[in-house]
Amino acid sequence: MNKYDVVIIGGAIVGSSLAYFLRKEGFSGSIALVERDPQFAHAATTLSLASIRQQFSIPENIRLSQFTLGLFRRLKDEFGADADIGFREGGYLILTGEAGVPILQANHAAQLAAGADIVLEDAAALGRRFSWLSTEGVAAGAYGVSGEGWFDAHAMLGLFRRALRTMQVDLVSATVTAVTREGDRTTAVTLDNGTVLEAGIVVNAAGPNAGKVAAMAGLDLPVEPRKRTVFVFEARDRFEDMPLLVDPSGVYVRPEGSVYLTGGAESEEGEEAADPADFEPRWDLFEEVIWPTLATRIPAFEAIKMTRAWAGHYDYNRLDQNAVIGPHPQVRNFIFANGFSGHGLQQAPAVGKALAEYIVHGGYRTIDCSAFGYERVAEGRPFRELNVI
Ligand SMILES: Cc1cc2nc3c(=O)[nH]c(=O)nc-3n(C[C@H](O)[C@H](O)[C@H](O)COP(=O)(O)OP(=O)(O)OC[C@H]3O[C@@H](n4cnc5c(N)ncnc54)[C@H](O)[C@@H]3O)c2cc1C
């Protein structure tokens, strides 16, 4: 079949979630989910830190994560009794120095108003709560008592992909090389094997490659790959109560089974788009930035052994490090689900649900994503998320 009601470009978590929720929403039209890397070796989804938080600065982002949290809580009802993504509700601990306190307070107020279970504590209280923590240079920290933590991204993607097998969604293994546009409508996509798929609606779920996919339709989208390295290390001490800690410097660390994961050492100043083929870890960052930071923040991490590292690409939105969700205002059958800038895994189920509602009912019902619309990109009006990790 070469004619589809919906063609989704990119079959990782965002594309798969949309296809899934389209069917759950009762969409009976034909769907093609086109993926160039069916093992997802280079997808942001599988190279991510696989964590979920409520600690955002804007209520819209909190709501997206809360929807996904709800899905995690009813995972077996949704995907079957054997569904398990290993969700560990360890919380986030976001630390700040004196200068950042007003922002942390404002964020905290927004989180409380959205019903998130976050406490804001001063350095002394944090020191009492976490015996292993050095509060040197820390004025306050926000800690997610519940509703935040980490999980297995492969398992989460697997649940959606497995469900799709029985949902009459055509899983197409190919690269989209062109998007045909006639005036204010996209009409087809061309695959690298020469096949042309006619399309009623085209959805851009191409992750870090989304800017290039939008350009195929002649549309400007400020989303590009930015390389981020995650290091794995071993330490002698285990801290069972350790949340995902974000140091005031931006360096983060969290437990993962018997080891720890850390990263966040890249500086955005002067940073440019990554080469889409470059997945070489930035090894230098460990010795130069991460280790000294960790040893200061958690004295027991003075003696640690880095065992491996990987690099993935953020789907980085240059305008405001926030998602672009919904149709292009003129080319209305081209839909964006892009630019999540490091928090898209946890938002993907919510975004899939919201866009499925938009496509089936002509508007958002459960989660209003209008604030993420492309209009702000066209106007150059940032909708900034302050808590980008
Ligand atoms: C190191 C790192 C840590 C992260 N940590 C977190 C975290 O803790 N929590 C969180 O919520 N998010 C995190 N993220 C961000 C998150 O991974 C992404 O926002 C999310 O996975 C985006 O999902 P996606 O499906 O849009 O993109 P991807 O997973 O990148 O999938 C896009 C897919 O589109 C395919 N594609 C692209 N172009 C084409 C084409 N032309 N034709 C066919 N297929 C195409 C690609 O092959 C790819 O599989 C992290 C990202 C990185 C890199």
Side-chain angles (χ1 to χ4, degrees):
M1 186 170 100
N2 286 342
K3 192 170 176 184
Y4 289 91
D5 294 304
V6 177
V7 174
I8 303 171
I9 305 173
I13 197 62
V14 170
S16 293
S17 161
L18 173 56
Y20 175 84
F21 282 110
L22 274 171
R23 287 293 183 241
K24 295 288 275 190
E25 213 55 38
F27 184 74
S28 57
S30 51
I31 306 173
L33 185 57
V34 187
E35 173 53 54
R36 64 181 178 185
D37 170 22
Q39 302 303 318
F40 300 104
H42 290 126
T45 297
T46 48
L47 296 173
S48 84
L49 197 72
S51 305
I52 180 168
R53 60 187 159 115
Q54 312 294 318
Q55 295 192 54
F56 290 96
S57 64
I58 55 175
E60 287 82 355
N61 275 331
I62 302 172
R63 254 176 250 134
L64 292 177
S65 275
Q66 284 175 335
F67 176 88
T68 301
L69 180 66
L71 182 77
F72 285 6
R73 299 230 193 277
R74 60 182 160 80
L75 202 70
K76 292 185 191 304
D77 296 337
E78 187 82 31
F79 293 105
D82 62 341
D84 183 11
I85 56 164
F87 180 38
R88 294 190 61 87
E89 219 164 322
Y92 273 60
L93 172 61
I94 299 185
L95 302 174
T96 186
E98 203 60 61
V101 171
I103 294 177
L104 203 66
Q105 284 170 336
N107 293 351
H108 184 237
Q111 292 150 13
L112 288 188
D117 189 10
I118 313 293
V119 293
L120 183 61
E121 291 184 337
D122 63 15
L126 291 171
R128 286 193 297 274
R129 187 186 280 275
F130 300 113
S131 58
W132 38 264
L133 180 73
S134 160
T135 54
E136 187 187 325
V138 169
Y143 170 57
V145 179
S146 71
E148 300 188 315
W150 46 92
F151 53 93
D152 181 336
H154 288 264
M156 178 176 165
L157 178 60
L159 288 180
F160 281 100
R161 301 280 303 180
R162 191 181 66 178
L164 290 179
R165 284 195 224 132
T166 57
M167 289 180 139
Q168 288 187 302
V169 171
D170 282 1
L171 305 179
V172 180
S173 291
T175 301
V176 171
T177 53
V179 176
T180 309
R181 187 175 134 198
E182 293 170 13
D184 282 351
R185 286 193 68 75
T186 47
T187 54
V189 306
T190 304
L191 308 182
D192 55 345
N193 60 15
T195 306
V196 175
L197 306 181
E198 284 181 48
I201 291 174
V202 175
V203 181
N204 184 352
N209 197 35
K212 291 213 168 127
V213 167
M216 290 178 196
L219 303 173
D220 186 32
L221 180 71
V223 173
E224 63 188 27
R226 295 279 179 100
K227 191 164 81 169
R228 295 289 178 266
T229 301
V230 181
F231 298 91
V232 184
F233 71 86
E234 293 171 358
R236 205 184 46 227
D237 297 299
R238 290 281 314 151
F239 304 113
E240 293 306 329
D241 61 344
M242 183 185 270
L244 192 160
L245 180 152
V246 185
D247 184 75
S249 63
V251 168
Y252 62 76
V253 60
R254 75 158 171 84
E256 173 68 44
S258 61
V259 295
Y260 294 88
L261 304 181
T262 182
E266 291 84 358
S267 164
E268 287 182 14
E269 214 178 296
E271 190 185 40
E272 295 192 348
D275 172 349
D278 176 10
F279 287 90
E280 178 65 19
R282 282 273 318 270
W283 298 101
D284 55 309
L285 292 175
F286 188 80
E287 290 277 330
E288 285 169 20
V289 184
I290 290 191
W291 189 22
T293 307
L294 290 181
T296 305
R297 188 57 57 219
I298 302 165
F301 284 172
E302 176 70 39
I304 56 178
K305 186 170 147 222
M306 193 253 288
T307 52
R308 69 183 189 93
W310 76 83
H313 291 162
Y314 265 22
D315 39 358
Y316 189 90
N317 178 352
R318 286 194 309 272
L319 177 68
D320 54 14
Q321 293 82 66
N322 227 342
V324 180
I325 301 169
H328 187 275
Q330 278 81 46
V331 188
R332 294 203 65 83
N333 74 337
F334 188 90
I335 295 180
F336 300 95
N338 308 118
F340 299 97
S341 307
H343 44 267
L345 183 62
Q346 65 195 281
Q347 297 191 331
V351 173
K353 169 81 171 163
L355 285 178
E357 290 176 349
Y358 175 81
I359 290 170
V360 173
H361 309 298
Y364 301 122
R365 290 187 169 179
T366 311
I367 311 157
D368 184 359
C369 285
S370 335
F372 294 104
Y374 183 90
E375 288 75 4
R376 78 179 197 281
V377 176
E379 294 162 15
R381 176 173 45 83
F383 180 47
R384 214 173 284 287
E385 170 55 51
L386 300 178
N387 262 355
V388 175
I389 293 169

